[in-house]
């Protein structure tokens, strides 16, 4: 959630991706206590989905070789483009529907977190192409690295607690 967010594409710092992945993992790990579908493989899909909206960042590499692909790739940072990308990616899995659903869950966590950011532009175009209205809650500054620390601390806490619970369950079953 930290890093620069620009309405027409641009750089985001690495902590942004760390927050997206940490939150996705944490949610899946907590849900795993109740739902066995949140196994490590499906959790990995949610984590990949959580950074899928930032697929636009491949345009950084095009800048290095002198091509500007930001305008062509910006559609992937819009919900419609990201879900199309998830649909294409899910075609590579045996369980296509399951893959799409778990990738979509990650995409939704990404956009939920991005909605919290103070936006540089007009906000996120959640309903494009139906509406050009931008949305943002403008709660978290783009450069707040404490969010990264908090997300990682919560993920570590969930990991430690879940590890202890699993050890107790294994001990009781044997």
């Amino acid at each position: 959630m930290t890093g620069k967010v620009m309405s027409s594409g641009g750089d985001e710092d690495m902590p942004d991706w760390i927050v997206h992945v940490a939150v996705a993992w944490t949610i899946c790990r907590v849900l795993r206590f109740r739902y066995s579908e949140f196994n490590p493989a499906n959790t990995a899909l949610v984590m990949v989905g959580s950074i899928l909206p930032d697929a636009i960042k491949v345009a950084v590499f095009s800048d290095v070789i002198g091509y500007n692909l930001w305008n062509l790739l910006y559609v992937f940072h819009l919900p419609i483009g990201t879900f199309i990308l998830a649909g294409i990616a899910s075609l590579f899995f045996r369980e296509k529907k399951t893959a799409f659903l778990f990738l979509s869950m990650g995409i939704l966590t990404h956009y939920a977190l991005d909605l919290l950011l103070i936006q540089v532009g007009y906000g996120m175009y959640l309903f494009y192409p139906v509406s050009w209205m931008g949305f943002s809650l403008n709660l978290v500054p783009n450069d707040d690295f404490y969010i990264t620390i908090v997300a990682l601390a919560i993920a570590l806490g969930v990991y430690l607690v879940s590890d202890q619970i699993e050890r107790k369950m294994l001990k009781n079953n044997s």
Side-chain angles (χ1 to χ4, degrees), residues 14 22-23 72 90 103 125 127 130-131 150 158:
M14 187 59 153
V23 168
L72 293 172
S90 67
L103 286 168
Y125 303 115
F127 300 111
V130 176
S131 170
V150 169
V158 167

Side-chain angles (χ1 to χ4, degrees), residues 22-172:
V23 168
W25 180 87
T26 302
I27 291 169
C28 289
R29 191 63 186 104
V30 169
L31 289 173
R32 185 174 170 189
F33 288 116
R34 178 93 166 129
Y35 305 101
S36 62
E37 293 84 8
F38 288 93
N39 58 45
N42 289 336
T43 297
L45 285 173
V46 175
M47 292 166 61
V48 168
S50 74
I51 58 172
L52 208 52
D54 287 335
I56 186 176
K57 301 308 178 221
V58 300
V60 169
F61 300 113
S62 70
D63 287 346
V64 172
I65 58 174
Y67 292 101
N68 183 351
L69 296 178
W70 289 105
N71 290 336
L72 293 172
L73 296 175
Y74 185 69
V75 70
F76 294 121
H77 201 272
L78 299 170
I80 187 94
T82 310
F83 285 110
I84 289 171
L85 192 58
I88 293 168
S90 67
L91 295 174
F92 293 99
F93 292 88
R94 186 177 313 138
E95 299 289 330
K96 292 165 183 41
K97 182 179 176 183
T98 301
F100 179 75
L101 290 174
F102 281 101
L103 286 168
S104 295
M105 182 180 173
I107 292 166
L108 291 174
T109 65
H110 182 102
Y111 287 119
L113 290 172
D114 278 3
L115 274 174
L116 300 174
L117 287 175
I118 296 173
Q119 298 290 333
V120 174
Y122 298 105
M124 295 174 29
Y125 303 115
L126 294 177
F127 300 111
Y128 174 86
V130 176
S131 170
W132 281 92
M133 185 175 180
F135 294 90
S136 177
L137 296 175
N138 291 320
L139 297 174
V140 179
N142 303 7
D143 58 355
D144 189 351
F145 288 92
Y146 291 113
I147 298 299
T148 304
I149 295 167
V150 169
L152 289 173
I154 291 171
L156 177 62
V158 167
Y159 172 76
L160 294 173
V161 169
S162 64
D163 187 52
Q164 288 299 318
I165 291 171
E166 282 186 346
R167 286 176 192 240
K168 286 181 183 178
M169 289 172 58
L170 283 173
K171 187 177 177 183
N172 290 339

Side-chain angles (χ1 to χ4, degrees), residues 1 12-22 50-51 54 57:
M1 285 197 15
E12 285 188 6
D13 296 322
M14 187 59 153
D16 181 56
W17 289 1
I18 292 170
V19 171
H20 286 300
V21 170
S50 74
I51 58 172
D54 287 335
K57 301 308 178 221

